[in-house]
Amino acid sequence: MSARSGVPNDPDRRQRIIIAALELILDDGTAKVSHRAVAARAGVPLGSMTYHFGGIDEVITEAFTLLVSRLSARYREGLAAATTLAEAREAVVEIICGDTFASPREMAAIFELYSYGRNSPGSAKLAASWMGISEDALTEHFSLDAARAVDALIEGWTIHCHLDGHPPDRDLVRTAVAALTRIDTENSTPRSDHRE
C-alpha cells in the first residue's frame, strides 16, 4: 500500500494472478500450476502469491471460478435468446456443435475442473454449481426431466468430440435433442410457456 494514501499500489494484482492461473490451466492443465509459474505469468513478485491466497488450491479454484463465470454467461445468453421450443432446441445444438460457447482449450479446462475437484472441496462445489447453472438455463425451456437428459447429452457429446477430435454431426445432434425434448410436447410442461 501507499503510505500516504492507504491505497494498494497494484489494486488489480489479485485478479491478474487469477487470470494468469487460468491461462496456465488452459495451456497446460492444473499439473503445471505452481506459485512460481503463476507469478511469472502474471508478472508479479512471488511473495504476492502467499499475500493474496492461502495456497495453490485457492488460486486454482479461483481460476476455475473465472472460467465457469465466462462460460455460464455464454451458455445462458444462447438459451435466453430462444423464444420457442424449436429455437431452444437449436440453441442446444449450437452449444454442442458451434464454436461460440467454449473453445477446445476451455472445454479441456472444464474436464480439468471435474478431475481436480476430486481432491479439492472448493473445486468440487464449483463443478456441482456449474451443473446447476446448466440445468437452470435448460429448464427455462424444457421440463426438468428433459433438461437433465439434454444436459447429459451436452456433457457427453462435448467430451467425445474433445477426445476423438471429430466435429459432431449437426443433423444427428439436432435429431437427438428433438427426441430428448419430445417428452415436453407429449407428457409434461416446460417451466416457461414456450411451444413450437
Side-chain angles (χ1 to χ4, degrees):
M1 287 189 177
S2 165
R4 288 182 296 179
S5 66
V7 176
N9 291 327
D10 188 358
D12 299 324
R13 181 172 291 181
R14 189 177 191 279
Q15 187 65 16
R16 291 211 321 275
I17 292 171
I18 294 169
I19 293 169
L22 177 56
E23 287 299 315
L24 279 171
I25 293 170
L26 292 170
D27 288 345
D28 301 310
T30 55
K32 299 291 186 179
V33 178
S34 67
H35 285 301
R36 191 173 299 278
V38 174
R41 177 69 69 98
V44 301
L46 185 58
S48 296
M49 300 298 297
T50 53
Y51 177 81
H52 289 286
F53 301 93
I56 199 64
D57 177 65
E58 184 181 351
V59 176
I60 292 172
T61 299
E62 288 288 344
F64 280 134
T65 300
L66 176 59
L67 175 68
V68 167
S69 175
R70 289 177 180 177
L71 295 185
S72 62
R74 295 180 210 156
Y75 196 99
R76 288 187 179 118
E77 182 179 1
L79 285 163
T83 58
T84 66
L85 182 56
E87 288 177 358
R89 287 171 170 168
E90 196 60 28
V92 172
V93 173
E94 184 61 26
I95 288 171
I96 296 172
C97 301
D99 57 5
T100 57
F101 165 55
S103 69
R105 293 167 74 235
E106 288 170 328
M107 286 309 306
I110 284 292
F111 307 147
E112 287 271 347
L113 167 61
Y114 296 158
S115 176
Y116 185 77
R118 182 177 182 182
N119 296 305
S120 168
S123 287
K125 184 176 180 180
L126 180 62
S129 75
W130 164 243
M131 292 180 183
I133 289 167
S134 173
E135 185 177 290
D136 285 347
L138 290 166
T139 53
E140 289 297 324
H141 302 282
F142 311 119
S143 68
L144 181 59
D145 287 344
R148 287 175 173 168
V150 169
D151 192 31
L153 180 74
I154 293 169
E155 289 284 330
W157 218 312
T158 52
I159 289 172
H160 277 254
C161 291
H162 177 77
L163 293 177
D164 67 24
H166 296 123
D169 181 321
R170 190 175 283 264
D171 288 337
L172 180 58
V173 173
R174 188 174 287 116
T175 299
V177 172
L180 287 175
T181 57
R182 194 164 290 126
I183 187 175
D184 286 336
T185 60
E186 295 174 353
N187 302 320
S188 59
T189 304
R191 253 172 44 179
S192 64
D193 291 325
H194 298 322
R195 294 291 185 273
E196 288 185 295

